[in-house]
Amino acid sequence: GSSAALYVRIVMCASPHGTYLVAAGEVSTEARARAALACCPPGSVASHYTAARLLGMFVPVDQRIHVAVPGNGYRSRRTGIAAHRLYAGHELIVHRGVPCTDDVATIADLSAVLRLPDMVATIDSALAAKILDLDSLRDVAGRQRRAGGRLLEQAIELADGRSESPMESKTRVLVRLAGYPAPECQLKVIGASGQVYYLDIAWERWKVGTEFD
């Protein structure tokens, strides 16, 4: 779903007499994105953090609205809008009335700005929600020559859609970066009296498991 933030007054842009989003209470990501795109050049779309939230992926908190703009050199002067270049070849969709980059393009864009644990958590959340084709993402990663390409390839290899929370994903990545063997996600364990438990990450061979609380 979409996230919502509390804003007493939001003024996204003005042209020529004003395009305003003024609200008291919760303002949805969709409404904020539409208002931001009204300020941007034609062909602009929601991207990066904003597209991820719209599509239902986990993404670290960033209150700005992120947009991708065709061509080079555009810089938004509006407070609360972060403008990026829209790369040729990106697949674009309309989600809940907002034009945005699709799942694969969104994750590829985020690979240039996120750290590895957050990148894996984003991919895990997309896999868990069944909104990401991992083979398509692998294909894009193999062809990506801009910043983030190597990190994206690493994140894909570490991704696991069985993870049930961003912090589980991050913990699993940190364990791997510390040099430990790859753990199993959501390992099923049956207790002495027959109860069934699922460990966040575990190494069945050594009978070691960890839980993130």
Side-chain angles (χ1 to χ4, degrees), residues 38-122:
C39 313
C40 297
S44 300
V45 298
S47 67
H48 294 75
Y49 295 82
T50 303
R53 286 197 297 272
L54 288 170
L55 295 172
M57 303 180 201
F58 160 79
V59 72
V61 175
D62 187 325
Q63 295 292 0
R64 297 173 297 172
I65 293 296
H66 290 255
V67 298
V69 181
N72 294 311
Y74 177 78
R75 293 291 182 270
S76 174
R77 297 181 180 178
R78 309 294 181 187
T79 300
I81 300 177
H84 309 267
R85 176 187 172 189
L86 178 59
Y87 284 89
H90 268 7
E91 293 291 333
L92 308 180
I93 60 174
V94 176
H95 184 76
R96 296 186 179 180
V98 181
C100 62
T101 50
D102 77 347
D103 53 350
V104 171
T106 296
I107 291 173
D109 283 341
L110 285 169
S111 69
V113 296
L114 293 184
R115 299 175 305 159
L116 183 60
D118 286 326
M119 188 77 262
V120 173
T122 297

Side-chain angles (χ1 to χ4, degrees), residues 107 111 115-124 127 134 137-138 141 148-160 172-173:
I107 291 173
S111 69
R115 299 175 305 159
L116 183 60
D118 286 326
M119 188 77 262
V120 173
T122 297
I123 296 174
D124 282 358
L127 291 173
L134 197 58
L137 185 61
R138 277 199 184 92
R150 177 61 186 137
L151 182 140
L152 181 56
E153 290 179 334
Q154 288 180 282
I156 290 170
E157 294 309 309
L158 291 169
D160 192 321
R172 191 179 74 251
V173 173

